[in-house]
């Protein structure tokens, strides 16, 4: 029988097996990157820099958790980058221009994400458009819609010092003498919840099954339209959560028309973490590790003198490399 | 003779432009294996899809356990105990065996899935079938045969009373087929009604009790297997007599020159020190069990997969074949076992497919010379008797046999002298099969040489002048057609060196 049992002493180690080879490798990459930047730059070794790595990790993490579900179905959601900015603009608009309480702004941000997720879900699962094209379209829609809401103006969520600034404490406690990246707690909570959801509930199981073999899943009596749409709805809601994290962590104003390309950080993170572009397998915990590679680079590269343009080139190259590794892995399986 | 458990009567079903089922009757009995036979397109699959609720019938009645029923979808049918084991395995390779078996009806522990319990239940099912499969193994890591066992386990877990096997043996090795038959007999003896759809006549004789034959969407008749001969069944299927007589002597003259010589070819795990010669005008059959390395040998020879060592001589000259382009240049054509993936471009016309390997000869500067292309395509449509309304017809609209002819035309246009036919009649119905055989005989009579890889014993014995038998990547036997018997070939095919 050709039941493939391969591997070596490392991959057969029970601990390595339980966690997964790729995750351990990614963890090592994170450690190496951190060591590299620390050696290269004295500024990087400081506590505020580490907090800034976390700052970058929140919104990428939330987008990545969401998009992991789309990737597992064999699809993708490109609308999360401009979407996240659009939802945050909408929430900020409700608070600063309409004078609504912050909680309404937060709910508005989430609702708009949910709505966009539903639209993507209908386009992909019901109307059966290719996910790449459908979400490329909604990516443009989100970008334009964000500008229209605010009349083309930037929006600033209330500052930490203001009366309405409490929401910033959800992600970052920044008082004189006290700087805490508390947003990471939320990330961990959502990683655990969504991991459980993916691996231990019916909807999660069906999302994996759809990515592995959609027709077989359908013939097993599973409502594939519903669960495929659910993946996009999850992605939309998490883009909303990402929008809140983004607004809470960065004190600068949010400009309409931005956000394009941020989805690639999230998608790269998910793929680095072992989620396959071809669907059927993925891990939320792996995605979190992959995101830390991305946010480590985002915050570390400026310290070795590589500014925004270089960061984009490096993000692009890493995305290509991650997908290449995924392609090779699949080739081995076939 | 068991009591009737399920009856389909006067089932009628039309699709736009096609009358797929014309008042078909079918009767399934407890404790009996019923063969459902017919050429491709006879309506077997459609009938089973109507039964399990994938299609809605236009008229007719289905009676199951004394009540008239109509299943709304496969899930309803499953729940009632009517289950299909599909031809294309419906597996989620990324999920475990147990997760696959219980997909859609997971055992829950509150809101969470209870995987431990599912693994235990799956293990119990395998115990009942007397097979050893680890329920926690990923489905993708199992062989096709094992995957099929999982499908059967899944069917049983539904408390199936009627199990339909849709060409279950197509991808199985001989030993796996025996294992499958053991299970089917066991299920039959437990009182289940079994429908067995297959093209393989030998299997029908071995495993089934009755045979129902369909043709062109209509019910033709039902025979008792024991009381009928192969020819009886085939006559009902095609309405014309097909001869399956084996070849008794080689048609190749003793002094025919060697056109292809392969020496100690090695490529990966599946091709080990393979050597053979092919003579002008010869059909050299490659026999062996699934996974013997025959296709891998052909692919390495053709340059489709890298080879590690070995020499290839064409007409006495050593040649270096690094990729398929080199092979084609040296006059080798390869007709893949997987036509749709490697043989033809289904969305293109007959003419475009015919000239695909010879594009350069059909251009005026950068433009394709449509007239010249059509003329040559037309010539081969006529000489190969390809059934197509015109050379502009898209290949996707042709039957399997006629698609195969288009692939042959492609290599003939390229003027290939050595043709490798890999499972030339897989998925082709009985009538078209004999046309392909006829064509192959004409090709060798005209001086071409053919390597034919086939998993069908009757095909090997009927077509080959000489037979190479492989097992686990090695040549384990070379048998002239005069001495060839099924027993000798099987003996060599199981000879592990």
């Amino acid at each position: 029988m050709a039941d493939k049992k391969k591997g070596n002493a490392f991959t057969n180690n029970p601990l390595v097996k339980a966690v997964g080879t790729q995750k351990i490798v990614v963890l090592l990459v994170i450690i190496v990157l951190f060591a590299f930047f620390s050696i290269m730059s004295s500024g990087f070794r400081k506590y505020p820099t580490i907090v800034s790595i976390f700052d970058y990790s929140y919104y990428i993490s939330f987008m990545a958790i969401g998009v992991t579900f789309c990737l597992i179905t064999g699809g993708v959601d490109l609308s999360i980058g401009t979407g996240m900015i659009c939802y945050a603009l909408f929430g900020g608009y409700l608070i600063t221009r309409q004078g609504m309480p912050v909680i309404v702004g937060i709910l508005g941000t989430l609702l708009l994400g949910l709505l966009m997720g539903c639209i993507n879900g209908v386009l992909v699962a019901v109307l059966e458009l290719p996910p790449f094209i459908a979400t490329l379209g909604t990516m443009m829609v989100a970008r334009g819609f964000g500008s229209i809401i605010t009349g083309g103006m930037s929006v600033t969520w209330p500052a930490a010092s203001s009366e309405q600034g409490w929401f910033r404490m959800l992600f970052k406690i920044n008082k004189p003498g006290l700087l805490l990246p508390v947003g990471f707690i939320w990330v961990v909570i959502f990683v655990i919840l969504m991991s459980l959801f993916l691996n231990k509930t019916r909807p999660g199981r069906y999302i994996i099954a759809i990515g592995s073999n959609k027709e077989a899943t359908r013939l097993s009596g599973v409502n594939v339209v519903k669960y495929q749409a659910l993946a996009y709805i999850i992605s939309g809601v998490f883009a909303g959560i990402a929008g809140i994290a983004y607004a809470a962590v960065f004190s600068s104003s949010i400009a309409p028309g931005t956000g394009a390309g941020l989805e690639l950080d999230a998608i790269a993170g998910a793929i680095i973490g072992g989620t396959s572009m071809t669907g059927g397998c993925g891990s939320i915990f792996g995605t979190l590790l992959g995101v830390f590679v991305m946010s480590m680079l985002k915050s570390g590269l400026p310290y070795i003198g590589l500014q925004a343009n270089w960061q984009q080139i490096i993000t692009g190259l890493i995305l290509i490399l991650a997908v290449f590794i995924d392609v090779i892995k699949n080739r081995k399986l076939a | 003779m068991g009591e009737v458990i399920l009856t389909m009567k006067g089932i009628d079903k039309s699709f736009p432009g096609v009358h797929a089922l014309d008042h078909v009757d079918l009767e399934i009995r407890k404790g009996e294996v019923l063969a459902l036979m017919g050429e491709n397109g006879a309506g077997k699959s459609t009938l089973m899809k109507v039964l399990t609720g994938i299609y809605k019938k236009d008229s007719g009645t289905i009676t199951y356990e004394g009540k008239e029923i109509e299943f709304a979808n496969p899930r309803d049918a499953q729940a009632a105990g009517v289950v299909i084991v599909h031809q294309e395995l419906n597996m989620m390779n990324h999920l475990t065996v147990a997760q696959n078996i219980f997909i859609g009806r997971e055992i829950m522990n509150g809101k969470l899935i209870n995987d431990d319990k599912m693994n235990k239940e799956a293990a119990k099912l395998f115990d009942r079938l007397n097979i050893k499969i680890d329920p926690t193994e990923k489905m993708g890591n199992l062989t096709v045969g094992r995957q099929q066992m999982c499908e059967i386990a899944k069917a049983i877990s539904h408390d199936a009373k009627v199990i339909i096997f849709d060409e279950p043996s197509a991808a199985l090795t001989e030993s796996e087929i025996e294992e499958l038959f053991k299970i089917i007999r066991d299920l039959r003896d437990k009182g289940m009604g079994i429908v067995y759809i297959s093209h393989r006549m030998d299997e029908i004789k071995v495993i089934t009790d009755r045979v129902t034959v369909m043709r062109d969407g209509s019910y033709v008749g039902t025979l008792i297997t024991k009381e009928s001969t192969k020819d009886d069944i085939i006559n009902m299927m095609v309405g014309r007599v097909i001869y399956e007589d084996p070849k008794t002597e080689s048609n190749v003259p003793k002094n025919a020159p060697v056109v292809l010589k392969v020496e100690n070819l090695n490529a990966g795990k599946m091709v080990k020190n393979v050597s053979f010669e092919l003579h002008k005008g010869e059909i050299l059959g490659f026999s062996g069990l699934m996974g013997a390395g025959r296709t891998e040998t052909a692919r390495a020879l053709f340059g489709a997969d890298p080879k590690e060592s070995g020499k290839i001589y064409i007409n006495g000259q050593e040649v270096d074949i690094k990729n398929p382009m080199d092979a084609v240049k040296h006059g080798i054509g390869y007709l893949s076992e997987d036509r749709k993936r490697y043989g033809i471009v289904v969305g293109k016309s007959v003419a475009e497919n015919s000239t695909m390997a010879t594009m350069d000869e059909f251009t005026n500067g950068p433009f394709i010379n449509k007239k010249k292309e059509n003329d040559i395509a037309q010539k081969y449509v006529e000489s190969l008797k390809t059934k197509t309304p015109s050379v502009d017809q898209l290949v996707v609209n042709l039957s399997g046999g006629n698609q195969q002819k288009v692939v042959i035309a492609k290599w003939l246009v390229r003027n290939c002298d050595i043709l490798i036919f890999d499972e030339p009649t897989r998925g082709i119905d009985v009538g078209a099969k004999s046309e392909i055989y006829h064509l192959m005989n004409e090709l060798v009579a005209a001086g071409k040489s053919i390597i034919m890889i086939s998993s069908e014993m009757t095909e090997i014995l009927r077509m080959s002048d000489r037979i190479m038998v492989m097992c686990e990547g090695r040549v384990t036997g070379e048998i002239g057609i005069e001495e060839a018997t099924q027993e000798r070939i099987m003996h060599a095919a199981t000879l592990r060196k």
Side-chain angles (χ1 to χ4, degrees):
Chain A
M1 285 294 109
D3 292 356
K4 299 164 217 156
K5 283 255 162 67
K6 51 191 179 215
N8 49 40
F10 174 70
T11 52
N12 287 336
N13 180 306
L15 181 73
V16 175
K17 248 188 183 159
V19 183
T21 316
Q22 182 152 0
K23 282 172 217 155
I24 290 181
V25 171
V26 175
L27 195 61
L28 290 176
V29 168
I30 293 173
I31 292 168
V32 168
L33 276 176
F34 187 76
F36 172 75
F37 287 129
S38 300
I39 292 163
M40 297 295 287
S41 154
S42 59
F44 187 81
R45 295 194 281 266
K46 301 226 165 73
Y47 180 63
T49 315
I50 294 167
V51 174
S52 91
I53 297 173
F54 279 102
D55 286 350
Y56 280 114
S57 78
Y58 303 149
Y59 74 91
I60 306 178
S61 295
F62 290 126
M63 280 196 292
I65 291 170
V67 81
T68 298
F69 286 86
C70 298
L71 291 168
I72 289 173
T73 64
V76 73
D77 186 352
L78 298 176
S79 73
I80 50 177
T82 59
M84 173 190 90
I85 296 294
C86 169
Y87 316 145
L89 282 170
F90 177 63
Y93 166 83
L94 290 180
I95 301 163
T96 56
R97 307 277 172 79
Q98 299 294 325
M100 295 197 182
V102 170
I103 188 71
V104 176
I106 289 175
L107 287 176
T109 308
L110 290 175
L111 270 177
L112 202 57
L114 173 69
L115 180 69
M116 185 61 101
C118 292
I119 292 170
N120 284 332
V122 168
L123 292 177
V124 173
V126 182
L127 304 178
E128 300 188 334
L129 297 183
F132 186 89
I133 301 299
T135 60
L136 192 66
T138 51
M139 167 188 178
M140 298 305 291
V141 170
R143 192 167 167 175
F145 189 62
S147 299
I148 291 171
I149 295 168
T150 65
M153 314 266 263
S154 292
V155 166
T156 313
W157 283 53
S161 51
S162 76
E163 205 174 305
Q164 296 226 47
W166 57 268
F167 72 96
R168 291 187 187 268
M169 309 278 266
L170 294 174
F171 288 92
K172 189 177 187 179
I173 293 174
N174 193 359
K175 289 178 179 159
L178 186 66
L179 182 62
L180 285 177
V182 286
F184 192 62
I185 297 169
W186 294 108
V187 172
V188 169
I189 289 172
F190 277 113
V191 165
I192 291 170
L193 279 179
M194 295 321 280
S195 258
L196 212 56
F197 177 79
L198 179 64
N199 295 309
K200 280 286 161 194
T201 70
R202 281 192 163 155
R205 177 71 40 93
Y206 297 153
I207 283 171
I208 300 173
I210 288 168
S212 188
N213 187 339
K214 187 176 169 187
E215 180 61 11
T217 310
R218 194 179 73 85
L219 289 176
S220 306
V222 174
N223 185 341
V224 290
V225 172
K226 178 169 134 193
Y227 293 106
Q228 196 180 12
L230 180 64
Y232 289 86
I233 294 169
I234 291 171
S235 182
V237 170
F238 271 90
I241 299 174
I244 295 163
Y246 188 88
V249 164
F250 300 108
S251 52
S252 54
S253 62
I254 303 167
T258 60
L262 296 181
E263 70 280 351
L264 295 184
D265 292 335
I267 292 167
I271 295 169
I272 292 168
T275 298
S276 170
M277 284 294 280
T278 48
C281 69
S283 136
I284 308 292
F285 179 63
T287 292
L288 178 65
L289 289 175
V291 164
F292 264 82
V293 172
M294 297 311 291
S295 55
M296 186 78 72
L297 286 168
K298 268 193 177 282
S299 45
L301 289 173
Y303 283 92
I304 58 168
L306 295 176
Q307 292 304 327
N309 294 337
W310 278 104
Q311 288 180 36
Q312 289 184 358
I313 290 175
I314 288 170
T315 304
L317 292 179
I318 286 175
L319 183 66
I320 291 168
L321 183 70
V323 174
F324 180 64
I325 291 170
D326 182 40
V327 167
I328 294 197
K329 264 198 316 195
N330 283 316
R331 213 177 279 161
K332 269 193 196 151
L333 279 175
Chain B
M1 195 62 47
E3 66 180 283
V4 174
I5 182 164
L6 191 146
T7 320
M8 302 180 83
K9 208 151 185 59
I11 303 293
D12 211 78
K13 174 77 191 170
S14 290
F15 297 105
V18 193
H19 197 175
L21 295 176
D22 187 2
H23 295 91
V24 179
D25 299 336
L26 188 80
E27 193 179 86
I28 304 169
R29 298 177 187 163
K30 283 185 184 170
E32 185 193 69
V33 182
L34 172 72
L36 183 56
M37 297 202 75
E39 295 190 16
N40 290 343
K44 296 162 298 188
S45 293
T46 313
L47 186 66
M48 292 301 109
K49 283 178 177 166
V50 167
L51 173 58
T52 52
I54 296 174
Y55 295 149
K56 295 257 169 296
K57 60 184 169 13
D58 297 340
S59 64
T61 55
I62 303 173
T63 315
Y64 175 55
E65 296 192 301
K67 276 180 292 210
E68 191 179 332
I69 47 101
E70 179 165 10
F71 299 120
N73 52 50
R75 196 176 188 171
D76 272 12
Q78 269 178 8
V82 179
V83 183
I84 289 198
V85 176
H86 283 278
Q87 179 178 9
E88 277 110 31
L89 289 169
N90 282 292
M91 291 292 169
M92 280 67 73
N93 284 339
H94 299 87
L95 298 183
T96 68
V97 168
Q99 288 171 351
N100 266 283
I101 289 174
F102 291 103
I103 187 84
R105 56 203 170 100
E106 289 74 9
I107 300 171
M108 304 300 284
N109 188 358
K111 281 272 164 214
L112 300 183
I113 295 174
N114 191 339
D115 275 305
D116 283 344
K117 184 92 189 291
M118 277 161 48
N119 289 336
K120 286 200 187 98
E121 290 297 317
K124 273 188 214 160
L125 289 171
F126 291 128
D127 280 349
R128 272 170 68 186
L129 292 172
N130 279 323
I131 39 183
K132 284 201 169 54
I133 294 176
D134 178 3
T136 63
E137 185 64 75
K138 286 253 158 67
M139 190 60 88
N141 291 340
L142 300 185
T143 60
V144 176
R146 303 251 113 185
Q147 291 181 348
Q148 195 148 47
M149 304 297 163
C150 295
E151 281 269 275
I152 297 170
K154 184 174 168 180
I156 295 172
S157 73
H158 282 283
D159 280 324
K161 295 182 183 114
V162 173
I163 303 184
I164 300 147
F165 290 91
D166 191 359
E167 299 207 37
S169 60
L172 300 190
T173 65
E174 295 286 334
S175 64
E176 284 173 332
I177 289 173
E178 261 168 40
E179 208 174 355
L180 173 71
F181 282 3
K182 222 178 83 204
I183 292 172
I184 289 179
R185 287 195 191 99
D186 193 39
L187 296 174
R188 179 194 65 193
D189 295 345
K190 284 178 182 153
M192 290 183 196
I194 291 165
V195 179
Y196 191 89
I197 302 176
S198 174
H199 283 303
R200 295 191 182 175
M201 206 58 77
D202 309 342
E203 292 177 0
I204 299 297
K205 293 294 282 181
V206 172
I207 192 70
T208 71
D209 301 305
R210 287 187 307 145
V211 184
T212 290
V213 178
M214 291 177 70
R215 183 170 70 223
D216 299 330
S218 308
Y219 172 81
V220 179
T222 300
L223 302 170
I224 308 287
T225 312
K226 267 193 300 227
E227 297 166 5
S228 32
T229 65
K230 267 192 207 179
D231 275 344
D232 293 339
I233 299 170
I234 292 176
N235 282 341
M236 282 172 78
M237 282 167 66
V238 297
R240 54 185 187 263
V241 182
I242 300 290
Y243 295 102
E244 287 205 282
D245 302 327
K247 200 184 255 186
T248 48
E249 60 181 37
S250 170
N251 297 332
V252 185
K254 284 269 180 303
N255 57 352
V258 174
V259 289
L260 171 75
K261 186 174 169 192
V262 173
E263 264 181 17
N264 296 321
L265 185 68
N266 281 288
K269 278 186 221 147
M270 302 296 282
V271 185
K272 292 174 190 156
N273 274 324
V274 173
S275 302
F276 63 90
E277 288 179 351
L278 175 68
H279 298 89
K280 188 176 169 73
E282 183 179 42
I283 297 180
L284 180 62
F286 267 76
S287 186
L289 302 175
M290 204 64 61
R294 296 164 298 161
T295 294
E296 290 79 359
T297 302
R299 285 179 60 91
L301 166 64
F302 191 63
D305 292 329
K307 43 185 162 294
E308 281 141 26
S309 62
K311 287 182 179 154
I312 298 169
Y313 302 87
I314 289 179
N315 297 322
Q317 294 275 316
E318 188 178 346
V319 293
D320 186 16
I321 296 175
K322 286 202 196 66
N323 52 47
M325 278 177 286
D326 291 342
V328 173
K329 208 168 66 197
H330 290 295
I332 304 176
Y334 178 58
L335 292 85
S336 166
E337 59 179 329
D338 194 343
R339 251 188 333 271
K340 291 210 173 69
R341 270 174 76 190
Y342 304 118
I344 45 173
V345 184
V346 288
K348 291 270 177 197
S349 71
V350 172
E352 287 166 312
N353 270 285
S354 302
T355 59
M356 190 134 324
T358 334
M359 209 68 248
D360 292 349
E361 291 174 26
F362 295 92
T363 51
N364 286 335
F367 301 106
I368 292 165
N369 185 338
K370 200 67 203 161
K371 166 101 178 43
K372 202 172 162 198
E373 183 177 85
N374 284 349
D375 288 350
I376 194 92
Q378 186 62 40
K379 187 183 131 196
Y380 281 103
V381 162
E382 280 160 22
S383 67
L384 303 181
K385 300 192 184 67
T386 312
K387 280 193 206 76
T388 174
S390 81
V391 294
D392 295 323
Q393 179 69 265
L394 297 186
V395 168
V396 67
N397 296 328
L398 303 187
S399 70
N402 286 306
Q403 289 182 352
Q404 188 68 297
K405 289 183 183 177
V406 174
V407 186
I408 296 172
K410 177 172 82 176
W411 294 119
L412 294 181
V413 171
R414 191 69 176 78
N415 216 358
C416 289
D417 288 327
I418 300 167
L419 294 165
I420 305 171
F421 282 80
D422 197 349
E423 305 287 357
T425 60
R426 175 172 291 175
I428 288 174
D429 64 52
V430 179
K433 241 180 190 176
S434 58
E435 279 187 49
I436 297 284
Y437 293 154
H438 185 66
L439 193 59
M440 288 169 73
N441 284 328
E442 280 185 355
L443 288 171
V444 287
K448 308 275 183 197
S449 309
I450 291 178
I451 292 173
M452 181 189 76
I453 299 171
S454 174
S455 295
E456 273 185 59
M457 197 59 85
T458 47
E459 186 164 279
I460 286 283
L461 289 172
R462 180 179 171 177
M463 296 305 298
S464 314
D465 296 305
R466 199 155 49 91
I467 301 159
M468 309 296 297
V469 189
M470 289 184 71
C471 178
E472 295 184 348
R474 294 173 196 280
V475 174
T476 50
E478 179 182 348
I479 309 169
I481 193 66
E482 294 84 358
E483 301 100 56
T485 60
Q486 192 161 340
E487 291 75 21
R488 277 196 68 169
I489 293 172
M490 281 314 295
H491 179 74
T494 50
L495 208 61
R496 302 204 146 73
K497 278 194 176 173

